[in-house]
Amino acid sequence: METSDAVAALAALAQDNRLEIFRLLVQAGPDGLAAGRVAETLDLAPNTLTFHFDRLRAAGLVTVRRDGRSMIYAARYETMNGLLGFLTANCCQGVTEACASAECKPAKPARKKERVS
């Protein structure tokens, strides 16, 4: 992954709604989710969701396909994995054994915050 691609991906994910959308699509798997389902799950207005999807697509993080009347969005795992590889390429100064130690193990995922109405 080129630095400019990593910057674009990180910029797209640097907004709470887009990060939630992307994480939901990653969780959904390669089949993706209909835009309406994403809007419903995350309680986002359709026009707001369209804007966020456009930013994620421009960064190469999601794909879209039409299925009848629905637009199905899916995470692009190759881009996600490329970004993770880019961020960790020189982990522990390139010493693979050091990265296997307890000090370099990734933290457990953060618990999702409850939405307050």
Side-chain angles (χ1 to χ4, degrees):
M1 175 173 276
E2 299 293 324
T3 300
S4 60
D5 297 328
V7 169
L10 291 169
L13 294 171
Q15 198 280 339
D16 57 347
N17 289 326
R18 285 192 293 274
L19 184 58
E20 284 186 44
I21 292 164
F22 184 72
R23 292 185 72 204
L24 181 64
L25 293 176
V26 167
Q27 186 177 34
D31 292 337
L33 290 173
R37 177 70 187 256
V38 174
E40 179 183 301
T41 301
L42 299 178
D43 193 28
L44 294 172
N47 62 336
T48 300
L49 188 61
T50 299
F51 170 77
H52 292 311
F53 277 140
D54 288 346
R55 291 291 307 268
L56 292 167
R57 283 183 56 218
L61 290 165
V62 300
T63 61
V64 62
R65 71 181 188 282
R66 182 174 291 281
D67 184 12
R69 295 178 59 199
S70 297
M71 300 302 283
I72 309 298
Y73 289 86
R76 290 191 62 203
Y77 294 97
E78 65 276 9
T79 304
M80 178 186 73
N81 290 330
L83 179 59
L84 292 172
F86 177 85
L87 292 172
T88 60
N90 298 314
C91 179
C92 299
Q93 299 177 358
V95 180
T96 308
E97 299 78 29
C99 288
S101 73
E103 288 123 21
C104 284
K105 288 192 178 171
K108 290 182 181 178
R111 298 184 120 221
K112 186 170 176 140
K113 292 190 304 187
E114 296 289 324
R115 284 194 176 260
V116 179
S117 301

